[in-house]
Amino acid sequence: MGISSDPSFTTNIWKFSYTGVIFIPVFFQHAVLLMLNKRSKFYIPFIYIQACFFIISIFQNKMISGVRLIFGSFYYQIGTFRCLLSFIIWIGITSAGHLQLMYYYKKCFPEQKKQILALIFAMAGFIGGIMNFLPGFNINIYPYGNFLVPFHSFIITYAILKHQLLDIRLVFKRGIIYSSLIGLISIIYLIIVVSIERGLQGIVGYHSTFTSIITAFLVGVLFFPLRNRIQYLTDKHFFQGSHIEISEQNKQLRQEIAQSAKYKTLSTLSTGIAHEVKNPLTAIKTFAEYLPHKLDDKEFLSKFANIVGREVNRIDDMVHQLLNYGKPAPLSIKTINIHKLINSTIDILNSKFINQKIHVNKHFDADKDLNLYVDPNQFRQALLNILLNAIEAMPNGGKLRVNTKRLSENFEIVISDTGCGMAEDDLPQIFDPFFSRKDQGTGLGLSITQSLVENHKGTIEVKSAVGTGTEITIKLPLSHITPASPGREAD
């Protein structure tokens, strides 16, 4: 536009440019509302509709009437009320977006303040851009503010890189920004090497291609540490460390959260076992109190010996279960009675079911002595994770159904509840690590459960609907099912 000498051509270019200008505040306002997690049934459609209306007006020649020579080039002229109205709405939408940001800045979380502050500072680009309208209204002030427009882009780019503005993480995952930065550093590095080599060539006066290559190589070797230092500073400033350090930090974080999730389940398991231990201890205590008065009663002594032995073994088994669960041991496959394992896991949570008024309905396959090759501790953890999720989904009570079925190729365990359920959009993500809609959730429960089931060559499927409940199906291949074998069973 600045060098064109054809008024007609310049007018068309101005029209084309103006279409983009109209959408600047629209996209900005939409982005702000997304960032603030606000929705509007009328405002968002309105700002898009008005933008489309004025774009149509531009190409109907009802916005820009032509161009006039000013500041040494052709500048557009506003000839209708529509253009004035467009400018007023432009200012209004822009101002509304920034006022929303300023208001939100006062009450947002500390980690968001830097993101919001970056957008507020970038307002300088909008203020500078407004000056582009003035010559169109015959106000002959050179639009120096136009030089502030790139300032807005630089701040937004910095905020995305440094503070993950608008929670943009996909960029980092795919490495686009990282690769671009490293590419830029490499280009600068190459320019420095070539420039120094050219300088040496001028000073020394050599003209051999081979000598130039050797010289460039030696200069490159000398400056390579500088390139690495620049790259390190870039990683540290924008990415809070090198990609190796970030990878290690993420690995440690996942391990810590996974361990935390296990401790939470372990705490629940301990509470359940402590509750179960009370029953055998009560029986032992009762018989111990009568023992001094029944020393001559052989029938009582025989009954006492049997009961005490049985209850002590029961306590011993539960303690061993707790100790084995707490060990971060690899998969330890054993032949177990799957129905006994399910029953014992449900019994551990009996107190929670009673306290939350949850009715448990069990319907097992006709083959009650069905044995499977599984790791009893890890499979119990998988079941506990599912059952605890079901309990949390029914804070006001409900029904829990646990069904088992032997099919032609699989053995199925179906656990369903009548809880709050999950949204359809969330279902594809529920097994992703750290995905959770709970306020105190780690997002690792179902992820760990899926891993445990897959370690047993099985699969896990989830069906859910908001307000209806959730159904989780665990399928184990038939090859993992074995006939009962005395002496090998562990429950």
Side-chain angles (χ1 to χ4, degrees), residues 189 192-194 196-197 200 206 210-225:
Y189 167 72
I192 293 173
V193 171
V194 172
I196 292 176
E197 191 277 328
L200 289 174
Y206 62 87
F210 179 76
T211 305
S212 295
I213 293 173
I214 295 298
T215 305
F217 174 77
L218 293 175
V219 172
V221 170
L222 292 174
F223 274 83
F224 194 78

Side-chain angles (χ1 to χ4, degrees), residues 224-459:
F224 194 78
L226 176 61
R227 176 187 178 276
N228 288 341
R229 183 62 180 172
I230 295 172
Q231 181 174 331
Y232 171 77
L233 292 174
T234 303
D235 289 341
K236 186 175 181 180
H237 186 65
F238 286 112
F239 301 98
Q240 308 301 323
S242 69
H243 64 282
I244 297 175
E245 293 172 342
I246 294 172
S247 178
E248 287 297 321
Q249 291 172 4
N250 289 339
K251 185 178 179 181
Q252 292 176 6
L253 180 62
R254 289 190 184 94
Q255 289 175 347
E256 290 173 4
I257 297 180
Q259 194 68 16
S260 174
K262 184 164 186 174
Y263 285 147
K264 182 181 178 181
T265 308
L266 185 60
S267 173
T268 303
L269 183 62
S270 304
T271 304
I273 289 179
H275 179 77
E276 292 298 315
V277 165
K278 287 183 180 180
N279 294 329
L281 284 179
T282 300
I284 294 172
K285 182 181 179 182
T286 300
F287 277 91
E289 288 175 349
Y290 281 98
L291 183 60
H293 307 288
K294 299 283 187 176
L295 292 176
D296 297 327
D297 189 338
K298 293 182 179 181
E299 182 181 353
F300 175 84
L301 293 177
S302 176
K303 186 176 180 181
F304 175 76
N306 289 332
I307 291 177
V308 169
R310 186 178 70 246
E311 298 300 332
V312 167
N313 287 335
R314 183 179 171 189
I315 294 173
D316 185 63
D317 287 343
M318 285 188 287
V319 170
H320 275 87
Q321 287 177 15
L322 182 62
L323 292 175
N324 290 334
Y325 180 86
K327 295 176 183 177
L331 205 64
S332 178
I333 299 296
K334 297 179 182 178
T335 306
I336 66 164
N337 184 309
I338 187 63
H339 292 121
K340 286 186 178 181
L341 178 64
I342 296 172
N343 267 325
S344 64
T345 306
I346 293 173
D347 289 343
I348 289 171
L349 300 173
N350 266 339
S351 59
K352 286 186 173 290
F353 293 136
I354 293 171
N355 290 338
Q356 292 192 207
K357 299 178 182 179
I358 296 174
H359 177 69
V360 181
N361 185 355
K362 295 179 286 186
H363 181 73
F364 293 161
D365 188 271
D367 188 356
K368 298 289 197 267
D369 296 324
L370 195 61
N371 284 2
L372 276 75
Y373 279 129
V374 298
D375 182 318
N377 296 315
Q378 292 199 18
F379 204 77
R380 179 180 284 107
Q381 181 185 356
L383 293 174
L384 274 172
N385 288 343
I386 296 171
L387 293 172
L388 287 170
N389 278 350
I391 291 172
E392 290 178 0
M394 297 184 287
N396 300 318
K399 294 180 180 179
L400 178 73
R401 293 182 295 276
V402 183
N403 300 337
T404 65
K405 185 186 297 183
R406 180 174 181 169
L407 304 175
S408 58
E409 297 181 355
N410 298 308
F411 176 76
E412 288 188 356
I413 304 172
V414 181
I415 302 173
S416 57
D417 62 64
T418 57
C420 57
M422 291 177 280
E424 185 178 354
D425 293 342
D426 291 342
L427 291 179
Q429 309 173 68
I430 57 175
F431 293 116
D432 293 346
F434 311 112
F435 176 80
S436 177
R437 295 297 186 193
K438 302 174 186 176
D439 293 337
Q440 304 299 325
T442 62
L444 283 173
L446 284 178
S447 178
I448 293 172
T449 300
Q450 183 188 45
S451 177
L452 294 174
V453 172
E454 289 178 348
N455 285 346
H456 289 82
K457 309 300 181 184
T459 61

